[in-house]
């Protein structure tokens, strides 16, 4: 394994970090509802990906404190993007579920982001596009390690 803390490898790691962060910020701005914070959008995306969850489970998945998640869920509920139901096994808890309105908004945001990104990709030459296509599974792996 290469020494990723020195020389060319360290420079490559730094360049990767910088590029991923810049691209991520630009992609996050391609959303339909500008009134939602990136954290609120992330919670909705987590619900879409993982299904209904308690606020505590969402807090763990989103790496925020439970009181913060309680506030986020309340905001999303006030915007009719999530609903709260009693937990089937523990009536003291609530289960958060995204609404059809949230599903439609997420789908429209995904279409907008993908169209924006496709516009950027069209500016690449064939070799750059093939390199990026080959890198996508590796970047996905890194995102889940």
């Amino acid at each position: 394994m290469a020494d990723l803390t020195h020389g060319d490898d360290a420079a490559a790691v730094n360049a990767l970090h910088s590029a991923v962060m810049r691209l991520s910020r630009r992609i996050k701005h391609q959303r339909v509802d500008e009134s939602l914070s990136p954290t609120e959008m992330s919670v909705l995306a987590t619900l879409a990906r993982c299904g209904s969850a308690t606020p505590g489970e969402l807090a763990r998945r989103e790496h925020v404190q439970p009181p913060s998640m309680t506030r986020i869920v309340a905001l999303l509920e006030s915007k009719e993007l999530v609903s709260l139901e009693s937990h089937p096994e523990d009536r003291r808890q609530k289960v958060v579920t995204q609404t059809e309105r949230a599903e439609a908004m997420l789908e429209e945001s995904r279409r907008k982001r993908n169209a924006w990104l496709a516009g950027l990709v069209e500016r690449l030459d064939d070799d750059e596009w093939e390199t990026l296509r080959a890198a996508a599974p590796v970047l996905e792996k890194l995102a889940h390690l």
Side-chain angles (χ1 to χ4, degrees):
M1 181 78 185
D3 180 4
L4 301 180
T5 61
H6 294 92
D8 291 343
D9 288 333
V13 167
N14 189 53
L16 176 63
H17 172 260
S18 180
V20 167
M21 293 305 294
R22 275 195 313 273
L23 186 58
S24 176
R25 277 193 299 274
R26 291 182 69 197
I27 288 171
K28 284 180 184 178
H29 289 293
Q30 304 301 314
R31 59 182 197 256
V32 172
D33 189 335
E34 294 292 328
S35 72
L36 295 178
S37 72
T39 302
E40 292 166 334
M41 286 295 291
S42 181
V43 169
L44 292 176
T46 295
L47 288 170
R49 189 176 56 257
C50 301
S52 299
T54 66
E57 291 167 340
L58 285 171
R60 282 189 295 282
R61 288 181 182 149
E62 294 295 315
H63 307 286
V64 299
Q65 294 299 313
S68 296
M69 185 54 66
T70 299
R71 285 190 296 278
I72 292 166
V73 167
L75 282 169
L76 292 172
E77 184 181 31
S78 73
K79 295 175 182 181
E80 300 179 349
L81 296 171
V82 300
S83 63
L84 293 173
E85 300 164 8
S86 293
H87 192 285
E89 297 166 11
D90 183 352
R91 297 284 183 208
R92 295 171 296 169
Q93 291 197 53
K94 298 288 185 185
V95 175
V96 182
T97 303
Q98 75 173 11
T99 64
E100 288 181 14
R101 181 176 177 191
E103 289 177 39
M105 187 202 58
L106 285 171
E107 180 58 34
E108 182 61 27
S109 287
R110 188 172 9 264
R111 272 196 296 274
K112 183 177 179 183
R113 283 191 315 268
N114 287 347
W116 176 82
L117 191 54
L120 291 181
V121 167
E122 288 175 354
R123 298 178 187 173
L124 301 177
D125 64 33
D126 290 343
D127 289 339
E128 290 169 327
W129 173 230
E130 284 307 313
T131 299
L132 187 58
R133 284 179 56 153
V138 177
L139 291 171
E140 183 68 24
K141 181 178 178 178
L142 286 176
H144 290 52
L145 287 178

